[in-house]
Amino acid sequence: MRTSIEWLNDYVTIQTAPQELADALTMAGIPVEEIEYQGQGLEKVVVGKIEEILPHPNADKLRICRVNVGAAELLQIVTGAANVQEKDVIPVALEGAHLPNGVSIKASKLRGEPSYGMLCSAKELGIDSEELPEEQRSGIFILPADTAIGQGIQDVLGLNQVILGFELTANRPDCFSVIGLAREVAALTGASLKLPEIKVQEDAALPQASETVTVQTACPELCRRFAARVLHDVKVGPSPEWLARRVEAAGMRSISNVVDVTNFVMLEMGQPLHAYDASRVRGASLTARLANEGEELVTLDSVERKLNASMLVIADAEGPAGLAGVMGGFDSEVTEATQTVILEAAHFQGANIRRTARQLGLRSEASGRFERGTDVARATDALDRAAQLLQEMGACRIAPGYADAYPVVQEPRTVSFSVAEVNRRLGTALSAGCMNDILQRLYFTILQVEGDTVTLGVPSWRDDVEGMADISEEIARMHGFEQIQASLPAAAVAPGGQSQRHDLVDLLTQQCVAAGFMQGISFSFSHPKVFDALRLEAEDLRRKAVPVLNPITDEFPILRTTLLGNMLEMVGRNVARRNEDVRLFEIGAVYLPENLPMDMLPQEPWMLCAALTGRRQPQGWNQGQEPVDFYDAKGLAEQLLASLGLTKASFEKAVHPALHPGRCARIVYPGGKELGWVGEVHPDTREAFGLRAPVFLCELSLEAVLPLWKRLPTYTALPKFPGMQRDLAFVTSDEISAGVLEQEISKVGGALLKQVTLFDLYKGDRLPANQRSLAFSLLFQSAEKTLTDEEVETVIQKIISRLHERFGCELRQ
């Protein structure tokens, strides 16, 4: 937000220096980012008139000008400019002038002829030449012929203003207006506020505004109010000089009196307005509604924009006439031929305007104000102010009344505060009278005082004030933060720490690194094509991903539902760069909407995914060249589970769409709880990711293992009595896994059986084709005594009997 101190002075008398005012506003929470002194360096540039032009005797491209600058004698100035003629009125830099472009003026001789100044161009005066007519953009700047000779150029061009540039926070939309800033200045300095009297002369001979145009809001939640005034016999033309200067000082371009007035009122009151040519509004009706999907609109910048169903438009009877709160439509633009104007003032939902502007890459002064919020109660005041200004210029006649769609009228808001509580919050000892005085200067009204509690009426433009904390802030900033003694807040200090989830992540990260794996980090985004590469079935819930409304690239339109795809892509990038021995892991969240509606937040479970491919040992003369296999991935899973104290977890044969059907296992904890998967990547999946060598994966669900994690290990004393070891070999079917037999042996062995280890697998000519021999080493031990052969033999016979009954296993002789 930019405004001039001269403009602020129209509403409040400012007697302090610009820097002092800027400091006071900044300390009061209205930060001033910069102070611009317009016309600095132009103190010795005046208006002159060329009385005579003579040729230079020693240079064909130079001319001698005799210039009247209001002094007793004409001034001789040598120039090379070709666009000046006798009787032209031009800016003249006198001796001692220091121009904004860094040029210092002093008397000199040019090819033997003395020169006592310089004729100035727009660029040398620091004027933006892009805003000037074509004939003024190059050469010497020509002033109107009736400009007073000898007058300072600062006064002539309005370059004597001091501009304040504000860096306002989004919670103070009222300060995105000159009047809002003037209120703050008045409250800080104690000066009186002089607001303009808004008064219009409606022409009773004209039809009511509601008879000329009907307005309505089809989306009250997005457009709380939609009001319009109608102006007849409009004369569109250049703006008065004062109006153009005000608009240009705020960084906007002067266009025409109608457009400049709407911009002036937006800057003055904070309420954006838009003007429509009534003859080009089809059906004489305007409706605030959502756009139809794919609907198109040509905006004022002559760009055709494709809209979607989330964007709010102002539509006439046949289609969009403007993009609500952002930019008007080209087809209803006010031109020099316009005779009847519909002025619109509305209140739009800030979030919708922000989203629309961002999606279309179209930001404007109006959209910035609507995003932060406008005063819905004073929309018609802004219409009256604009109509008043145009009427005072003799540029229109005003139709009686408004067309106003205001479904739910905003009721005045109240807020209560306790004097003692405010003092406690601020660490002050201010009286109730002092607080009330501050609040009344900010246009809060005292409605009721009961003991220590004060009830206030909140101004309609202060939507940011909702409770006692906001009232405390208002009192503190007006009283002065520098006047509040620093004190430490009384609070219970608790030691810092991190959650169990993060402790688990740290532990698993350490274990993976210790196992020789490197940590990878990928985006939380993915693409639906990954689901096909992973061979997920059509009904798999992982295909129901959360779409990203504004993806960073077309490659990442959704949030990931699994780490497998990202992991295989990382492996592929490494292998493509000749790093063929890969050990990677990643720990991160996946996003599962499951069966929830898409407008609800998804579940965000954390997962660990590790991948390995290539050689088991680093290349070397004394190292083997064996490739990694399924058991390397299984070993990592076992190491991770052991570090968590989950040694009872088992591996069951199962089918996973992305893994090889014969080299895949599901990790299960007693009770049937699934902890994760381990296995070789399916050949089709491997091919989809451009991988030739086998790749093995280990996946763990942190959500599943977290409640099972034994953070404190259980202490067991060293055994006092010797153990007894027995070996058993069973002939069994290929269909029965060693893990199932191991679990059954442990169950039957009971408390005496301390350890079961598979140490041999045989399959050959001595056994049928569909059978194999599995040999287990069993360790028996008691903490209370030395076991006898009979006690151990009794348990062994139970094991042999149980495996024969359940699985048909025969003891191999």
Side-chain angles (χ1 to χ4, degrees):
M1 174 72 184
R2 285 167 53 87
T3 190
S4 66
I5 290 182
E6 180 185 15
W7 195 350
L8 283 171
N9 258 317
D10 289 347
Y11 312 118
V12 59
T13 302
I14 298 174
Q15 297 178 334
T16 58
Q19 186 62 58
E20 185 180 346
L21 176 65
D23 292 342
L25 286 168
T26 300
M27 289 301 296
I30 314 297
V32 178
E33 187 181 38
E34 63 174 346
I35 304 175
E36 178 186 339
Y37 295 88
Q38 285 193 335
Q40 198 168 26
L42 299 180
E43 293 82 2
K44 290 192 175 184
V45 181
V46 299
V47 177
K49 184 176 182 180
I50 300 175
E51 300 292 351
E52 184 180 12
I53 297 179
L54 302 172
H56 194 291
N58 303 318
D60 294 338
K61 293 185 178 180
L62 297 179
R63 295 189 292 172
I64 299 173
C65 299
R66 300 199 179 277
V67 184
N68 178 9
V69 293
E73 297 180 359
L74 297 181
L75 202 64
Q76 178 169 307
I77 297 175
V78 178
T79 181
N83 70 316
V84 291
Q85 306 293 331
E86 290 183 354
K87 308 306 179 184
D88 280 348
V89 178
I90 37 78
V92 179
L94 304 177
E95 285 185 68
H98 299 280
L99 300 181
N101 64 354
V103 174
S104 297
I105 306 302
K106 59 183 180 180
S108 61
K109 284 189 177 183
L110 297 178
R111 300 295 296 270
E113 291 294 325
S115 180
Y116 300 98
M118 186 179 77
L119 310 184
C120 298
S121 66
K123 185 176 181 180
E124 289 160 343
L125 295 175
I127 302 173
D128 185 2
S129 60
E130 294 297 323
E131 303 294 337
L132 298 175
E134 181 65 33
E135 61 272 13
Q136 297 275 37
R137 293 185 186 178
S138 59
I140 302 304
F141 187 68
I142 309 298
L143 297 168
D146 58 352
T147 308
I149 305 302
Q151 188 177 6
I153 199 68
Q154 295 168 306
D155 297 327
V156 173
L157 299 179
L159 297 177
N160 52 1
Q161 301 186 66
V162 179
I163 308 296
L164 300 180
F166 294 87
E167 186 67 27
L168 299 171
T169 54
N171 68 316
R172 290 303 304 272
D174 58 302
C175 289
F176 281 83
S177 66
V178 181
I179 287 178
L181 294 170
R183 289 194 194 102
E184 292 292 317
V185 173
L188 281 170
T189 62
S192 299
L193 193 65
K194 305 170 292 183
L195 296 181
E197 182 182 1
I198 302 177
K199 189 175 182 180
V200 296
Q201 298 291 331
E202 297 179 340
D203 194 329
L206 296 173
Q208 291 282 330
S210 56
E211 297 175 12
T212 302
V213 63
T214 59
V215 299
Q216 56 184 331
T217 172
C219 304
E221 69 281 3
L222 299 181
C223 177
R224 292 174 57 191
R225 188 175 192 181
F226 187 15
R229 257 204 183 278
V230 179
L231 311 178
H232 292 269
D233 298 334
V234 175
K235 300 177 181 64
V236 180
S239 294
E241 184 179 355
W242 71 267
L243 177 59
R245 284 187 183 179
R246 286 284 190 264
V247 172
E248 289 170 353
M252 305 178 74
R253 183 166 59 92
S254 176
I255 298 174
S256 69
N257 54 354
V258 174
V259 176
D260 288 356
V261 160
T262 61
N263 287 333
F264 176 87
V265 173
M266 175 184 69
L267 295 167
E268 181 186 53
M269 303 182 68
Q271 171 64 57
L273 303 176
H274 185 65
Y276 300 86
D277 186 331
S279 66
R280 302 166 76 178
V281 174
R282 297 159 295 190
S285 68
L286 292 171
T287 302
R289 64 166 174 83
L290 288 172
N292 298 320
E293 191 67 38
E295 204 166 20
E296 294 180 347
L297 169 68
V298 179
T299 46
L300 284 173
D301 55 2
S302 302
V303 176
E304 185 176 51
R305 304 185 185 275
K306 192 171 184 179
L307 312 179
N308 62 48
S310 70
M311 298 177 180
L312 193 67
V313 298
I314 305 301
D316 59 19
E318 298 183 18
L323 197 56
V326 181
M327 186 173 286
F330 181 80
D331 291 342
S332 58
E333 178 184 18
V334 172
T335 66
E336 293 182 358
T338 300
Q339 294 184 342
T340 304
V341 166
I342 300 170
L343 278 180
E344 165 216 307
H347 183 282
F348 302 118
Q349 185 199 65
N352 180 269
I353 301 302
R354 184 183 301 110
R355 184 166 53 249
T356 298
R358 183 173 298 175
Q359 288 177 350
L360 295 177
L362 185 62
R363 303 300 296 272
S364 63
E365 289 281 350
S367 69
R369 284 167 173 78
F370 281 124
E371 288 174 16
R372 294 169 175 85
T374 57
D375 185 356
V376 64
R378 305 199 66 197
T380 51
D381 291 346
L383 291 175
D384 287 346
R385 178 62 169 158
Q388 174 191 20
L389 292 172
L390 287 170
Q391 188 178 58
E392 289 173 352
M393 297 175 199
C396 72
R397 296 165 62 202
I398 304 173
Y402 313 96
D404 192 1
Y406 196 4
V408 181
V409 177
Q410 176 176 291
E411 298 296 331
R413 293 182 300 111
T414 62
V415 64
S416 298
F417 73 94
S418 161
V419 174
E421 178 63 17
V422 169
N423 277 323
R424 188 191 68 79
R425 287 169 179 263
L426 301 180
T428 56
L430 301 177
S431 65
C434 177
M435 293 185 185
N436 291 341
D437 176 64
I438 288 173
L439 294 168
Q440 286 176 318
R441 296 204 318 259
L442 292 170
Y443 291 87
F444 292 86
T445 54
I446 310 297
L447 299 178
Q448 187 177 18
V449 179
E450 289 186 0
D452 187 52
T453 302
V454 181
T455 302
L456 300 172
V458 181
S460 62
W461 57 84
R462 291 302 302 272
D463 277 348
D464 59 304
V465 177
E466 298 178 348
M468 193 178 301
D470 303 310
I471 295 298
S472 302
E473 180 186 358
E474 294 300 299
I475 292 171
R477 69 188 188 87
M478 285 294 153
H479 176 64
F481 292 112
E482 70 280 2
Q483 297 189 51
I484 299 176
Q485 186 175 359
S487 61
L488 290 175
V493 179
Q498 63 180 13
S499 66
Q500 285 194 6
R501 182 196 301 274
H502 287 91
D503 288 342
L504 177 61
V505 170
D506 289 346
L507 176 58
L508 293 177
T509 299
Q510 292 169 6
Q511 291 296 319
C512 288
V513 171
F517 285 72
M518 299 188 69
Q519 186 171 14
I521 300 176
S522 63
F523 286 121
S524 295
F525 310 112
S526 187
H527 194 282
K529 65 184 180 184
V530 171
F531 302 143
D532 296 329
L534 294 175
R535 304 176 68 251
L536 299 184
E537 297 179 357
E539 62 274 10
D540 195 309
L541 288 178
R542 284 171 291 187
R543 282 187 176 269
K544 188 179 180 183
V546 178
V548 180
L549 295 180
N550 189 22
I552 55 177
T553 72
D554 292 339
E555 291 298 313
F556 301 116
I558 60 173
L559 291 177
R560 66 188 180 191
T561 58
T562 175
L563 295 183
L564 298 180
N566 292 25
M567 178 56 66
L568 291 175
E569 287 175 350
M570 284 195 286
V571 173
R573 281 193 292 272
N574 276 270
V575 172
R577 288 160 178 78
R578 305 299 298 274
N579 179 23
E580 297 176 349
D581 299 330
V582 179
R583 281 171 172 76
L584 288 174
F585 78 97
E586 179 176 9
I587 301 177
V590 296
Y591 306 88
L592 303 175
E594 298 181 351
N595 291 319
L596 298 173
M598 278 299 178
D599 58 347
M600 295 182 65
L601 293 176
Q603 302 296 320
E604 299 184 24
W606 280 56
M607 304 291 291
L608 177 147
C609 183
L612 62 163
T613 184
R615 291 183 291 261
R616 180 174 291 127
Q617 300 291 339
Q619 187 175 8
W621 66 271
N622 61 343
Q623 301 289 349
Q625 299 298 309
E626 300 88 358
V628 295
D629 58 20
F630 169 85
Y631 295 102
D632 291 284
K634 180 173 179 285
L636 173 65
E638 290 173 335
Q639 177 180 335
L640 296 177
L641 294 170
S643 70
L644 302 175
L646 306 182
T647 55
K648 294 183 179 180
S650 60
F651 296 81
E652 296 181 354
K653 186 176 181 181
V655 177
H656 188 289
L659 300 179
H660 194 295
R663 301 165 192 167
C664 164
R666 187 169 67 112
I667 307 172
V668 181
Y669 200 70
K673 186 170 186 178
E674 181 181 301
L675 304 183
W677 289 82
V678 63
E680 180 182 343
V681 176
H682 194 286
D684 292 344
T685 298
R686 198 175 67 205
E687 182 181 353
F689 285 95
L691 298 168
R692 294 189 299 274
V695 179
F696 301 90
L697 294 175
C698 168
E699 184 181 50
L700 282 181
S701 168
L702 272 60
E703 309 302 322
V705 302
L706 183 59
L708 303 174
W709 178 22
K710 296 178 174 58
R711 301 194 68 184
L712 295 176
T714 303
Y715 170 75
T716 304
L718 292 174
K720 297 180 181 180
F721 303 97
M724 190 176 296
Q725 189 167 328
R726 293 288 187 271
D727 294 341
L728 295 176
F730 294 96
V731 177
T732 183
S733 170
D734 285 343
E735 300 297 323
I736 300 174
S737 69
V740 172
L741 297 182
E742 188 174 309
Q743 289 180 21
E744 195 65 26
I745 292 172
S746 298
K747 186 186 299 182
V748 177
L752 296 181
L753 182 58
K754 299 302 181 183
Q755 185 176 324
V756 180
T757 305
L758 176 69
F759 70 89
D760 183 60
L761 183 151
Y762 172 75
K763 185 173 176 137
D765 297 339
R766 298 181 183 180
L767 296 176
N770 61 344
Q771 291 189 331
R772 60 181 177 173
S773 170
L774 299 174
F776 297 92
S777 177
L778 282 60
L779 175 64
F780 295 90
Q781 194 169 32
S782 171
E784 299 174 353
K785 63 178 182 177
T786 300
L787 296 176
T788 64
D789 290 341
E790 291 77 10
E791 289 173 322
V792 172
E793 186 63 28
T794 300
V795 178
I796 288 176
Q797 291 302 321
K798 288 181 180 179
I799 292 172
I800 295 172
S801 176
R802 177 66 66 83
L803 295 187
H804 178 73
E805 291 174 1
R806 290 204 59 186
F807 307 108
C809 298
E810 298 291 342
L811 191 65
R812 185 180 176 192
Q813 302 299 327

